[in-house]
Amino acid sequence: MKQKSMLLVALLATFLVYAKADNFYEPYRQTALRLPAVPLITHDPYFTLWSPYDHLNDGNITHWSPRQKPLEGLLRVDGQVYRFMGTPGKKLLDVVAPNAEDAEWEGRYTTDTPADGWQKPGFDDTAWKQGKAAFGTKENLTMRTLWTGDDSNIYIRRTVTLTADQLARDLYVIWSHDDDGILFINGTQVRSEKGYRDGARIALTADMKRLLHEGENLIAMHGHNGTKGALADFGLYCDAAPVLKEIRQARQTSVSVLATSTYYTFECGPVKLDVVFTSPMLYDDLELLSTPVGYISYRVAATDGKTHDVQFFMGADPMVAKFKKPQPTRSTFETHNGVNYVKTGTINQAILATKGDGVCIDWGYFYMPAVNGTVSLGESTAMMTAFIRKGALLATQTEMISRKSYDVPTLAYMRNLGQVTTAESYMMIGYDEIFDIEYMFHRYKGYWARDGRTTIFDAFDRYHRDYQNIMERSRLLDKRIYDDALAAGNVHYAELLSASYRHVMAAHKLFEDNDGNLLFFSKENASNGCVNTVDLTYPSAPLFLIYNPELVKAMMTSIFEYSRSGRWDKPFAAHDLGTYPIANGQVYGADMPLEEAGNMLTLAAEISRIEGNTAYADRYWDIITTWADYLVEHGLDPANQLCTDDFAGHWAHNANLALKAIMGVAGYAKMAEIRGNADVAKRYMAKAREMGKQWEQMAREGDHYRLAYDREGTWSQKYNIVWDKMWGTHIFSDKVMDREFKYYLTKQNKYGLPLDCRKDYTKSDWIMWLAGMAPNAKTFEALMEPVYTYVNETPTRVPISDWHNTKTGRQQGFKARSVIGGYWMKVLMDNNKKK
């Protein structure tokens, strides 16, 4: 007893030390994982801010789409200004030759391979076509000339006229490319980039500027499209505000990403700056999970022991509240509950009208309150000049209308820390979507405002009032996620899960319907835009099954209710409920009968196992029974139907899909057993075992199991068998996965195990499901480490793509999707072993 008491005292002391406010600027653990995009403030599929760079001041902040959402962070130390976040906005540049976002322009182009010298002045391009920029596919909003096709190329020539005055200034090319781009100035290559870029800026070096001359110049671009969307566009700009040359780049010295917070450290001359971005999306506090407010905490400390005069600045561009750059915006200065705010949003405010894949919100309002500082609204160059020269903001405007993408105001926040050796504070930003989602023809706000009385200003007040407590709880969650992963795997696994938490949570919207049902809808962020897709719920579930199964139920309830309503009357589950944010019924063009029925039954069974009862499943037992019978009848030998892994086409007799159906039947038997239906449980479990025995015979090919029963020489990942291991149902012999693991380890590439024998690409969530049932730590690490390496090295700078090439490490498709919640499968498996 004495030892236990001493242990409790020690744990309490550890908690108190860990939770001190002084620790808010130090991560629980330093992390080394280089993310392709770093989460900053993330809350839902629309309000989400990322930095797709190694350094926070390498480029603009983006949405995951990745549309630009410019935020610029500056620190003024003894009159010298340092930029720690973002880049100078295009609004501070003069147009020499606009890109397509600013104005329509024409150039000569061809999609055929041109003769040598095509990029040089004097080349005869009269046989080329004349086209209006941008060039690409229709999902790119500035597209005026169609260019499409997998593995296709485009070559563009554009004449640009420069004056002596423009040549004397700093010059920038702002270009966009999807996938790859090569840029030439008067015949000389000046830049080559891989992957998608939207409005990326190239500051021309002295050597690049020497390629230009007064009068006509030729800028040329070679664009390459690997697959899907294509884009090619460029423009030339010059410095419009010489005062900006006085801003120095802060030197970033570290970045660590944990579950709720991202920690940056910079050198700003004689001062060290710590900046922490926190989204307190706590899985056990639905109010915090759903509230669209985030913290930006900052601390300065002199490195020379002296006192310094310090001011902190954050500037926002109205682009944070719109989708298409040319959309007109209205920005205002307002006061609510005694607090000043700057606010921006589109003039049109077409609420819930913009839907689909790869889109941003263009309704609702972005807010920045004057908490711990002052806010102001004003013309951008003048605002920046005031801060650089005086360490102050302009007197605020009350309203500013912007109708051009390069003529916009700055929404500014500043804290004058004064003469200090050390100081710390925080600010907040938030986004009120007005209405967040439409579900079965009713419009809803997020869970945080479900009572109809809570406003965004109430939310800011709470976050300000409870800062200490919320930050302490956020840090404890950071610790829990890291430590659970470390116990289940190793440091790399802990870093991978810590970096993925906000990614997964922010791919959802939490709300409550008029019947009191808690609903947690995912968005297929970059796959087809569907809302609450069942085959996203299934792979993402491990994270939520561990920490809050109520959120898994909240993903499933609407699918059950859709069937119970009679609007979905098929004997298996629907694929989706619509296109986000409109959830009025399935829109997907093809059903996935075994896939979705198996997913729903398996998750219902796992919830019942975790809770020790079938209270949730009982609400829909008749529907569950219908789906179980469908799996019994059709599951062993799947017809030629779609499943979640059919990127290379769907085949009949899919062995992994059959596994899903078999485990769905076993899950039904497990639920029947828990609810006391012994005869039903016995009958369905016997059927599952019979199907499993047949499966082993039908799928076996020597030392492994086939992708499809009738396809010799094929193989695929058999991740669906994980539930047999989890539940101890022994549907399949241990030799099945013993053979599979040995076989998989012979098929691995640098960046992971391919999904199946047909292509080099993979789904990293499924790899992590396999790793979760690995027989030992060595096999777990053999499967997990290539996924870590992929995330650490991929050249595709987007929030983790779950579909990537295992040889090149490049994104194949998808990004920022909820499915990487499946990375937690090993933690879920280990939790089960402890019970």
Side-chain angles (χ1 to χ4, degrees), residues 789-803:
T789 303
Y790 150 65
V791 174
N792 194 54
E793 297 182 3
T794 176
T796 314
R797 304 308 295 264
V798 298
I800 299 173
S801 167
D802 52 283
W803 182 19

Side-chain angles (χ1 to χ4, degrees), residues 8 160 192 222 224 313 354 367 374 447 501 528 557 588 608 761 784:
L8 288 172
V160 173
S192 178
H222 172 201
H224 173 258
F313 174 95
T354 301
Y367 290 90
T374 59
Y447 183 87
Y501 179 83
N528 73 357
T557 295
Y588 200 56
S608 299
Y761 53 60
M784 181 276 296

Side-chain angles (χ1 to χ4, degrees), residues 4-55:
K4 288 184 178 179
S5 298
M6 292 176 65
L7 178 60
L8 288 172
V9 170
L11 289 173
L12 179 59
T14 300
F15 168 80
L16 291 173
V17 170
Y18 176 73
K20 282 176 60 181
D22 290 347
N23 284 334
F24 291 169
Y25 301 91
E26 304 292 336
Y28 168 63
R29 290 287 185 269
Q30 293 281 345
T31 63
L33 177 61
R34 184 238 59 171
L35 285 170
V38 178
L40 301 176
I41 302 297
T42 55
H43 281 279
D44 63 31
Y46 284 137
F47 183 35
T48 171
L49 303 174
W50 301 76
S51 173
Y53 303 99
D54 291 341
H55 302 93

Side-chain angles (χ1 to χ4, degrees), residues 494-505:
E495 291 186 356
L496 194 58
L497 297 199
S498 295
S500 302
Y501 179 83
R502 271 172 289 163
H503 172 137
V504 179
M505 303 301 280

Side-chain angles (χ1 to χ4, degrees), residues 35 39 42 50 257-261 279-285 288-289 473-474 477-478 480-482 494-508 520 543-544 547-548 551 800 817-818 820-821 823-824:
L35 285 170
T42 55
W50 301 76
V257 182
L258 294 176
T260 67
S261 298
S279 297
M281 304 186 75
L282 308 188
Y283 53 74
D284 58 352
D285 187 326
L288 290 178
L289 174 61
R473 293 173 62 196
S474 296
L477 188 146
D478 291 351
R480 172 78 186 275
I481 295 296
Y482 189 99
E495 291 186 356
L496 194 58
L497 297 199
S498 295
S500 302
Y501 179 83
R502 271 172 289 163
H503 172 137
V504 179
M505 303 301 280
H508 297 84
F520 194 47
L543 166 62
F544 304 106
Y547 298 114
N548 190 351
L551 294 174
I800 299 173
R817 302 200 318 157
S818 63
I820 64 171
Y823 288 7
W824 271 260

Side-chain angles (χ1 to χ4, degrees), residues 48-53 60-70:
T48 171
L49 303 174
W50 301 76
S51 173
Y53 303 99
N60 274 331
I61 306 309
T62 69
H63 181 256
W64 58 259
S65 49
R67 306 289 172 180
Q68 293 196 18
K69 303 293 178 182

Side-chain angles (χ1 to χ4, degrees), residues 111 264 540 636 668 740 814:
T111 54
Y264 284 98
S540 73
L636 175 61
Y668 181 77
E740 286 290 279
F814 307 165

